[in-house]
Amino acid sequence: LIGRLMFELPEEMGLIAIAVRQTQGKGRGGNVWLSPVGCALSTLHIAIPLHSNLGQRIPFIQHLVSLAVVKSVRSIPGYEDIDLRVKWPNDIYYSDLMKLGGVLVNSTLIETTFHILIGFGFNVNNSNPTICINDLITKFNKEEGTKLKPLTADCLIARTVTVLERLIDIFQEKGPNGVLPSYYKYWIHSGKQVRLHDEEGPIAWIVGIDDYGFLQVHEEGKGVESVHPDGNSFDMLRNLIVPK
């Protein structure tokens, strides 16, 4: 629906589709995403000029959306310590333990404008198939003696889009350095080890992401290199390879 409409509407008009239930959700590489009632499910259209900070670094969009989902919860007064985090490149996690959402970005370049379709879904009030944000809130209330209220999918979709707009504005003005401190605050990877090339490959330590959104790792004796996933495995941090 949005793919047909996005070229017909005036540039200044925003466009989003929101689903209560999704029966044919798609993930990376054609993977199926299960979407029971209780998920926040939407597809958002944005236009990004090619000759802009973000237009020159389009892979960053998935990172900005993942960060916006996390901040949609953790920027609410009282909810700052709910352990919702970002997993590179496009997942939302409970701590570093369990996935509860994801982002899928498709882009089309028309003349000098990127038309971006952002699909994002995250568990708000459904404990299956993994865990949900309201489960984390309940757990936090029990542990801390607080009385934080459950959140709704509608509220969090609205907050995510609002936060994303701000992050895009900051990125367009300041580039990656404008958003990376906030991204690193909420990601799960600082100082973690990965193996390069295959499961028996050399060990490297994650240090950050580069100006184009690729993961940066430090392999002993070789300095810092940028890497990306080799294929579309379920665990995107396995079998990382160094681009030639």
Side-chain angles (χ1 to χ4, degrees):
L1 176 65
I2 289 192
R4 294 195 300 271
L5 284 175
M6 66 183 184
F7 302 119
E8 308 295 330
L9 294 177
E11 262 187 44
E12 65 274 12
M13 184 175 288
L15 191 60
I16 187 170
I18 297 171
V20 173
R21 181 84 185 271
Q22 184 175 253
T23 58
Q24 297 182 50
K26 293 181 175 65
R28 290 178 65 102
N31 291 330
V32 174
W33 176 252
L34 300 176
S35 309
V37 172
C39 293
L41 305 163
S42 64
T43 299
L44 173 69
H45 168 253
I46 60 173
I48 302 292
L50 170 62
H51 301 295
S52 67
N53 269 330
L54 190 51
Q56 294 296 299
R57 299 168 177 84
I58 282 295
F60 252 98
I61 289 177
Q62 61 188 335
H63 308 324
L64 296 185
V65 180
S66 300
L67 177 58
V69 171
V70 171
K71 285 175 70 75
S72 75
V73 175
R74 299 190 67 167
S75 62
I76 302 173
Y79 293 75
E80 296 92 344
D81 292 327
I82 300 299
D83 202 4
L84 198 63
R85 295 189 175 271
V86 174
K87 180 186 177 190
W88 182 92
N90 64 335
D91 288 335
I92 296 98
Y93 257 59
Y94 156 48
S95 184
D96 60 352
L97 301 173
M98 202 174 299
K99 178 175 176 176
L100 54 70
V103 176
L104 190 65
V105 176
N106 290 301
S107 63
T108 304
L109 181 62
I110 305 293
E111 295 178 347
T112 58
T113 301
F114 276 110
H115 289 269
I116 312 291
L117 285 181
I118 301 165
F120 60 92
F122 52 96
N123 302 336
V124 178
N125 197 35
N126 54 297
S127 299
N128 293 310
T130 55
I131 197 170
C132 68
I133 288 169
N134 284 340
D135 286 345
L136 303 188
I137 294 169
T138 299
K139 180 175 182 290
F140 185 82
N141 283 338
K142 286 180 180 177
E143 292 175 351
E144 302 296 328
T146 51
K147 296 181 180 180
L148 299 178
K149 293 180 180 178
L151 300 173
T152 66
D154 289 349
C155 166
L156 293 182
I157 289 171
R159 290 183 63 86
T160 296
V161 174
T162 301
V163 173
L164 178 61
E165 287 177 335
R166 292 177 186 155
L167 289 173
I168 289 172
D169 287 344
I170 293 168
F171 196 102
Q172 294 292 39
E173 181 184 347
K174 299 181 179 178
N177 289 336
V179 300
L180 281 178
S182 185
Y183 185 80
Y184 292 146
K185 178 181 178 181
Y186 294 122
W187 86 334
I188 65 175
H189 303 295
S190 294
K192 295 286 181 72
Q193 289 184 0
V194 293
R195 286 194 180 271
L196 302 182
H197 311 302
D198 57 51
E199 292 182 9
E200 303 299 322
I203 292 174
W205 285 264
I206 297 174
V207 295
I209 55 179
D210 66 16
D211 278 353
Y212 295 93
F214 291 116
L215 204 65
Q216 289 181 310
V217 300
H218 181 266
E219 184 183 349
E220 199 166 325
K222 292 196 174 180
V224 175
E225 295 180 300
S226 294
V227 297
H228 61 71
D230 181 11
N232 287 303
S233 62
F234 176 73
D235 184 349
M236 298 299 291
L237 297 183
R238 292 176 64 187
N239 303 337
L240 292 165
I241 61 173
V242 180
K244 292 182 179 177

